[in-house]
Amino acid sequence: MNERAAHIASVLERRVGEMPFLHALIGFDGYIDELMRVVESRDSAGTASYFQDITGFSRRIAAAAGRSADLEVVTDTIKLGGNGPIMANALAGMGVPTVCIGAMGYPEIRAEFKAMSADCRSISLCQPAHTHALEFNDGKLMFADLAALEQLTWETIIDQIGRNDLASLFRESSLIALVNWSGVPGADRIWHGIYQEILPELDGEGLAGQKGLCGRQKGAGMEEPRRRRQVFFDLADPSKRTKEDIQSVLSLIRSYEDYCDVMLGLNENEALCLAASTGRGCAGPEEAALRLYDLLGISAVVVHPIDRCIVVTADGLIAEQGHVVEAPKISTGGGDNFNAGFCLGQLLGLGYRDSMLLGMAVSGYYVENGKSPSAQELAGHLMK
């Protein structure tokens, strides 16, 4: 893995000049994330000790059943949030011009989102949702108020951007990421609108509106000319949605293959939840990835548990071991940074294995340092 990491680092250093010629469009959500730690105890001097893992916190919660409890939280950070803005900020921070459409403040963009990378163009249609995220060393618990996202609809997008201008944004993009189906009430209508009204206009065009070949298309390790755009889907946690809703959105995702090469990205919990919606559970994320690929027939199913990454394509299943950060500085947004790194690899024409490692490296840098890396910082991180 060290030799491959060094190879990827050299690719980044050699091809950093290509980044401005890659283009991505990401939508449609936006949150203000309030990141908190839960106090377990305080000593006589007032120094706090925090719950280190969700299991320990769950025992405190269970002990309160039938009695109630008074728990203290300490806010670490208030920052931009949402699958779309975090992914867009990470991808743009590595040098890829990115358009992020979502809920980042209206009529003025909120200050938290004005701090996004200079290579990210933000188009905001309404106020953001708000998340209280309780962070632990082994994960996070997120409590979200989604009321603001009820204003984020297909009709709002068309009214404020315009169908022709929206189609132009898609036309200019080699990669499209559609995220947070679970959290955005209007996501089904938005995704259907794109499929029915935007993508047919681009059918037969090369990337960036050019006829013919452009970009790359790759298997596990080879590069070939790419003829079609890529669409990356991230549903977010689907556990609160009905089986019928899940089956409907999976059918829609499959339909996008009519126009694009489709990738579905999932964390372990999301993969197991989607697989269970097919009628039976799975022994692990590998089995879930294989079942979802067989069901969908898309270009790739990508699953990223906390310690590794799994991709299933027409060539079969491939897996790469990752590095677990024992004491993360931040965990909320780690998956979105993985998505940004993986998609950067795809935009650069890397094989799936190298894209997996790139995704894990971006995520690892983020949770270890509390911010997304530049391309140069990422190359240095890979060389460690």
Side-chain angles (χ1 to χ4, degrees), residues 3 57 71 82-83 135 140-141 153 215 237 240 276 285 335 337 342:
E3 289 183 4
F57 180 60
L71 299 169
N83 300 122
E135 297 223 317
K140 58 188 180 290
L141 298 173
T153 66
D237 186 354
K240 68 181 178 182
N337 274 263
F342 182 87

Side-chain angles (χ1 to χ4, degrees), residues 32-89:
I32 299 297
D33 282 348
E34 193 165 350
L35 309 184
M36 303 172 169
R37 289 279 181 177
V38 185
V39 175
E40 184 174 15
S41 63
R42 284 189 181 274
D43 63 22
S44 58
T47 303
S49 296
Y50 302 102
F51 283 98
Q52 297 300 302
D53 55 59
I54 294 174
T55 301
F57 180 60
S58 71
R59 286 194 289 265
R60 174 69 68 87
I61 297 298
R67 299 175 184 150
S68 76
D70 183 2
L71 299 169
E72 179 187 358
V73 295
V74 175
T75 299
D76 283 341
T77 285
I78 299 176
K79 60 180 285 294
L80 68 89
N83 300 122
I86 295 176
M87 181 181 176
N89 187 51

